[in-house]
Amino acid sequence: MSDLTAIIAGRGALPAHLARVMAARGLPFLVAEIEGAGMVPEEGWEVVPFALERLALLFDLFHDRGVTRVVLAGAMTRPRLEPERIDPKTAILLPRILPALGQGDDAALRAVIALIEEEGLCVIGAETVAPDLLPDAGVLTATRPCAADEADTARAAAIVSALGAADVGQGAVVAQGLCLSVETLPGTDAMLDWVAEIAGACRPDPDGPGGVFYKAAKPGQERRVDLPVIGPTTVEAAHRAGLAGIAIEAGGVMVLDPVRTCARADALGMFLWVRAP
């Protein structure tokens, strides 16, 4: 079989979603799952595990199988390399990857993309496979943000823009004008869990606006990979944190399973706002 798309799968639900979309459309694909990602494949999927220490061998497999396109999906944990596992061909590539791994996520991903493209493979964004992942601007729920929510969102957007310029994070929580937390390497779930623990003590008015979780792409980031993703579990986590709703950057954040995500937000009385930049 030729002209395959390879899904390089990290953690989370996005890789499986893309695989389901491609399977439903009859498009040939294989899944290259980074070790430890924990993907549960469905019947008929070809899943090939790989480790960064053997990246060159993965490229060889792609060429042998006729892969022409690659989509990177899911969270990628920075690996702790095991030198004894590195094959000679990958050893030639690692000096180009290792310096980038010590920088921000965007720098690391740009280095990986450059290697993939040098192999003659086309890197595409997840939204190319599943365009419905990027919703149009507007409020997607019955509950709408109030004036205080809009002000908190504007404050959070400014914070995320500053964080993103430093290649640090893609999200922030603001309540009553105060930043309760920002997203760093542990990710969105860890941030919202922490807010859930401390939120009550941090809000000046316990009975005032609950606050907003805002998420956006980093300014100037490579948008074919690492676009932020939210879904039903994000809504649940934001609710546990006592927040009034979630706002995301239009065109910069993917919504996984949008029907279920919006339905869960509606059930919890929360808003989901796709905010134009």
Side-chain angles (χ1 to χ4, degrees), residues 248-273:
I248 61 175
E249 176 196 24
V253 179
M254 296 183 287
V255 179
L256 195 64
D257 197 346
V259 172
R260 191 158 65 95
T261 298
C262 292
R264 192 59 190 141
D266 278 329
L268 295 172
M270 300 176 67
F271 66 82
L272 176 54
W273 177 20

Side-chain angles (χ1 to χ4, degrees), residues 54-105:
R54 298 182 178 273
L55 183 61
L57 301 184
L58 180 66
F59 291 157
D60 288 344
L61 172 69
F62 286 173
H63 292 307
D64 290 343
R65 293 297 309 279
V67 169
T68 58
R69 293 173 301 277
V70 174
V71 55
L72 286 80
M76 307 284 180
T77 303
R78 291 169 188 263
R80 295 181 178 178
L81 298 180
E82 298 179 25
E84 67 276 7
R85 300 179 65 189
I86 300 172
D87 67 274
K89 292 180 69 174
T90 303
I92 298 173
L93 302 178
L94 286 180
R96 297 178 53 192
I97 299 176
L98 293 178
L101 291 177
Q103 302 176 43
D105 289 342

Side-chain angles (χ1 to χ4, degrees), residues 132-227:
D132 63 322
L133 288 170
L134 287 178
D136 294 333
V139 178
L140 305 184
T141 49
T143 300
R144 302 186 64 85
C146 66
D149 297 327
E150 292 179 1
D152 282 343
T153 300
R155 171 72 171 143
I159 292 168
V160 170
S161 180
L163 286 175
D167 200 4
V168 173
Q170 299 170 312
V173 174
V174 172
Q176 301 174 30
L178 300 178
C179 182
L180 303 188
S181 187
V182 297
E183 182 184 275
T184 55
L185 190 60
T188 296
D189 290 345
M191 178 188 67
L192 291 175
D193 288 345
W194 189 80
V195 172
E197 292 181 10
I198 59 88
C202 289
R203 292 182 176 88
D205 180 1
D207 298 320
V212 175
F213 167 47
Y214 178 78
K215 200 166 183 69
K218 298 172 185 174
Q221 85 168 63
E222 170 55 78
R223 288 186 173 236
R224 288 175 294 174
V225 294
D226 197 34
L227 272 188

